[in-house]
Amino acid sequence: MPGSHCTKGIQKNISSSTSAASSSPATTFTELQPLMADTDLPSEHGNSQENRKEKDPVQPGPTNLQRARARFLKGISYFSGDMKVFGKWMEKQFFLLQLLDWVLRGAAQVMFVNNPLSGLIIFAGLILQNYWWALNGFVGTLFATISALILQQNRGAIAAGLYGYNGILVGLLMAVFSNKGDWYWWLLLPNIFMSMMCPIVSSALASINSRWDLPVFTLPFNILVCLHMVATGHYNYNFPQVLIQPRSQLPNITWAEIDVAKLFTSVPVGIGQVYGCDKPWTGGIFIISLFISSPITCAHAVLGSAVGMVSGLALAAPFGDIYFGLWGYNCVLACIAIGGMFYALTWQVHLLAITCAFFCAYLSAAIANIMSTFGLPACTWPFCLSALTFLLLTTGTNKIFKLPLANVTYPEKNLGFFWKLKKQEKMERAKKAEKESEEQQKAIKENIILNEKEQLRLEHERMEKGMAESEASEDENDETHVEDHWVEQQGTGDEEMGHNDLTEVTLGDYD
Amino acid sequence: MPGSHCTKGIQKNISSSTSAASSSPATTFTELQPLMADTDLPSEHGNSQENRKEKDPVQPGPTNLQRARARFLKGISYFSGDMKVFGKWMEKQFFLLQLLDWVLRGAAQVMFVNNPLSGLIIFAGLILQNYWWALNGFVGTLFATISALILQQNRGAIAAGLYGYNGILVGLLMAVFSNKGDWYWWLLLPNIFMSMMCPIVSSALASINSRWDLPVFTLPFNILVCLHMVATGHYNYNFPQVLIQPRSQLPNITWAEIDVAKLFTSVPVGIGQVYGCDKPWTGGIFIISLFISSPITCAHAVLGSAVGMVSGLALAAPFGDIYFGLWGYNCVLACIAIGGMFYALTWQVHLLAITCAFFCAYLSAAIANIMSTFGLPACTWPFCLSALTFLLLTTGTNKIFKLPLANVTYPEKNLGFFWKLKKQEKMERAKKAEKESEEQQKAIKENIILNEKEQLRLEHERMEKGMAESEASEDENDETHVEDHWVEQQGTGDEEMGHNDLTEVTLGDYD
Amino acid sequence: MPGSHCTKGIQKNISSSTSAASSSPATTFTELQPLMADTDLPSEHGNSQENRKEKDPVQPGPTNLQRARARFLKGISYFSGDMKVFGKWMEKQFFLLQLLDWVLRGAAQVMFVNNPLSGLIIFAGLILQNYWWALNGFVGTLFATISALILQQNRGAIAAGLYGYNGILVGLLMAVFSNKGDWYWWLLLPNIFMSMMCPIVSSALASINSRWDLPVFTLPFNILVCLHMVATGHYNYNFPQVLIQPRSQLPNITWAEIDVAKLFTSVPVGIGQVYGCDKPWTGGIFIISLFISSPITCAHAVLGSAVGMVSGLALAAPFGDIYFGLWGYNCVLACIAIGGMFYALTWQVHLLAITCAFFCAYLSAAIANIMSTFGLPACTWPFCLSALTFLLLTTGTNKIFKLPLANVTYPEKNLGFFWKLKKQEKMERAKKAEKESEEQQKAIKENIILNEKEQLRLEHERMEKGMAESEASEDENDETHVEDHWVEQQGTGDEEMGHNDLTEVTLGDYD
């Protein structure tokens, strides 16, 4: 059957052109390729490798420089991104080692980073800041993870550290805001209780937020730390909190006294304040830990902190607050969340992230003032509320694409996911157009065939009449020719049919 | 075929009776007919006009008075209601003119009025109150609308001013509560920023509220103005707010000192306070702008303001607050929203609107006290919360009919929509009953036919026997008669079938 | 037809085994059987009674003791649980009597008890506490129920007292927190208004909460009482509230001064505080009223109050607050709600209920501090928020089973529902396995039959050949034998088919 053979040939061509199309953007963005190595779906993965093999002989062999670079990128991919390979390897290890992996990932997940190495560096930064705080943070993460295991929460989410990040913040901030000073061991009791409540509150909030496909962010941390602080308050024997009071007079702001150096260090300090740390070096270490996993996240973190600082100046905040990074940390988180994490990064989304950071700065001033009435810090409420608001936004443009929550990984991989989707859409549209034009051609051909058949029939009739009159020798030749032509056309039709079927199968794979 | 002809006849009768039924309430409520001119669905529109033509020759010609009145109402319909004709005409105009239309509609949408003329009158009232406030309001509406255009929000909603009304309130109230006095030009910066945030917050809230088919009301305005005010506060260099403090001692209330005249002017002042205006004349102008678009809205606005005033007295509020209209504006909005805007106006809904106004007054006292702790005014939170509560209410009665959000226009048109729905239901029920009785009759007839056939068969048998015995002359006549009768019955059956089919088609149109 | 007869026999066996299975747990938990008498679905009810009759003759007759016990339990079942028999009887009575029944059930529903006798005892406790409060509570329940009737809410919910319990709390607490003292008759006006608002707020909240299959708890009461209190406040001429202020210095806590006796009485006082009562005897009466309806509820109420007291000590609360039961009442409600009311009671759920009580105690301290800023008491906000959080929890274990809201009755009956569900699942699984094995056997048999048929056919052929050769006497006997065998097999097949059909029908009933 030549038709079916022909179909196979077309199939090959199409799939190779598909892979060519899908590999082209990878070359325009080579730096990030190792990060996106596992972007492809498994089904396609095989195809693309196969095709690469096919193409390799055609292309000239890679130079030594290219090879070295490839090896370098391959090496990077082992400890950047979400360290998937390491995570898979961990699954077969001893339980306590696994738990450590989860705790480290949980520590990094505060910044939306699912990477144990980043988590390790973050713990290093915390130790640099304060031993006691670091201990409390570790205890918090550990018990939050254990509680999630007891409550039989989703194992994948636990392994990604998604039940730990609220725990580390609860542990840290309860230590930071305790008025009893460091090494007040009784504090570990409410710390453990509140950490173990984290998965419960997370699960409850997720039940609500999942209706709008929204994450819970650090809402459980905000709720639980505020709960602990306001339940005990400043005037308490067992667990007193630092005194926070609302502003009741004009702050002393003299523009001449501004310290530009401190203003610049406020950018890393703002990043450090995400974990309640005020040392610039700790903030710097956190920046490194972000860069390791995802440069886009790192860039938006710095940008967010800068936006917060500028907003503080614009709204005439006391310089002390700005230097202390209080205007930065919420903007850092909001800018990361919108800028590539939950939206696919385009220029429009980048602008949206900056807008969100400004809005978040405004909101953090507002919430800090409101919370101070109850003797509470702003925690990360401003980030949660502003990011949720911007994630609930619906627009008519397809340049602002909100990733389905299940597909969120890290900005580079999200971007790969978005590009693939767009390419598929384009290809589908192209194929649809192609199909339509083919159908039109087919319709034309069919018309021709029908006309020819009609002629044939007429000739037959004439022939029959002619047979009676014995004038049929020329006509018979004609008929055979027409039949040949018809068979040819039919064959072409089959090919097209096969092609169309194939198209549908290919599209079906993408769905 | 007499059957099919007969069917057509029935169809005519039915459709004419339909139009007769639909025109009867219009005559009982003639004043509002021009407002409801476009209530009919396009498909029915043609029918009803056609039928009117058919009926006209039958009826005596309209008198001169009737004609003048019709012309007068036609004229009114051009600038009352939502000015649909004007809106359609605007679509072909220059973009800046369109934008002006949207801004004016946005200004009026605060009161749920989608009418550029009302918007123009409202701006006149604002200018009468304070130039600077009016300017801020205009800037707010303009930038909110522009931001919605940039974010590619729904064009129909933008054209209806649904993205502008939060902007005008943000602009106005930020100017009203600024402690820097008028013409502090820097205020335009946060004004523009907050106005441009309006569509984002609106869109986010709509994502949530749409799950319950609820509007966002003025929640974005409430959120953003409170955000700005509490972020800066009274003690701020750049954007200080007026000082608002909670009550800490018994207010001085002497019933002898009550000023009845001021109490009466508090009704229009309450309506003016929706836009933050305290001059009675401004309030009066707003009342006129409401009356132009929708008398029902206007009546409920006045009623709501009165209810608020009475509630203030009942709860022993300081007289100054009552005179100043602070007890009125939320009740005005709540009473409009429930009384005919989102519910179809019936007596039960009217009572519900008054209940809602009382509840709203209670709530506004409560929220004002809570917000004063943070140095904030009550804004329109009480209206939003009370109206949302009353819109979430579910009852077993069909007298309280909540309109689908997509069908909400203005009270008079909503009422027309509700009546049409009710009429259709009635008609459907009547037709169902009719159909059922017909089916019963048909079944009876079929039984008769079957019996006759049985008799026929028996006679045939007898006949055949008789043929053998040669006694058949009388019997044959009988048979023909029976057959004729059967054909007749068959014809009647066809008619009924046709009638039933028609019924289904007619009902199908209504769905 | 032996096949169908056989089927009936199997059906009997199965249904009797079903009833045997369902009666076995009842014997292990005999004390609660009368409470669960109406657990069975009506359709099954007839069956199980029938089977009991069938079994009785087989079993030895019950001794006198057993008979007396059965009669005693039967008697208990009339006034314990939800008094369904009484409720049914009430439906045919005079309207005012019905209304009284609903009011009494409403009074008890605060504790999730749907029992008019408990309600009567609770009113007795309230009268013991304070006549004026009891009167206000009665007025509140009455008008809330009437308002629900006017708004045509669900009749079943009204009859269960689900529209009354917010009313009694509104009435009671408005009287408790009024600063005008007892017998200030004007208070009845806002009392009636707020009670009549209860069904509106309940209905609105239910529209939201029903999306997550959550109850509204006492949220309407919390909203409306806080609304009234903060709207008027302490500094009001008409309706002043008691002065509540935030703590501004360290409380005087000397552990030596602790009064252990008072600490113990704080447990019943905590239960009494659910209705705002501080007398231990009133609390004791409430415990009795709970025990009458449901021992599990009663046990969890006492447990919750004890947990609250311990938490108060742990968080260094002033002893006065603990003695006064302020740490208990929220934990009481939370512990009842989680411990068997909305979750089926297992050991895991019991532990969860205790955790929830601890969380609720923490939350009540926090909310009391926040609300005191506005001069408000904590009301039952902590209970509502903690119970909702724990009801939103999703876990991977089937030991924590949240009952569908429509199936919630009282802990003992809920437990019966849960056990039945579990048994059905087990049975279905067993039947599935049985069915599968049967199908395998059937397939094997069919193969055998097919083989035999094939042999038969071959023999027939041989036979036909033989007929021609006149050698057929022996073969014919063989054939008859085979046919008999085939009929036998067919019969067995029918039996199996019948069995399977029955299985499906039985499972269908359970769905």
Side-chain angles (χ1 to χ4, degrees), chain A residues 255-277:
Chain A
W255 282 94
E257 283 175 11
I258 201 162
D259 186 339
V260 179
K262 273 194 174 173
L263 221 52
F264 272 96
T265 54
S266 84
V267 172
V269 170
I271 294 171
Q273 280 289 5
V274 171
Y275 293 86
C277 300

Side-chain angles (χ1 to χ4, degrees), chain A residues 149-194:
Chain A
L149 287 169
I150 292 171
L151 287 165
Q152 300 193 13
Q153 300 296 303
N154 182 283
R155 206 36 106 85
I158 295 173
L162 290 177
Y163 283 100
Y165 69 93
N166 283 300
I168 193 176
L169 289 176
V170 165
L172 275 171
L173 275 295
M174 274 170 71
V176 169
F177 288 112
S178 169
N179 207 27
K180 282 273 190 180
D182 291 355
W183 308 108
Y184 175 65
W185 290 97
W186 286 109
L187 188 66
L188 287 180
L189 279 183
N191 184 345
I192 289 170
F193 179 76
M194 284 298 172

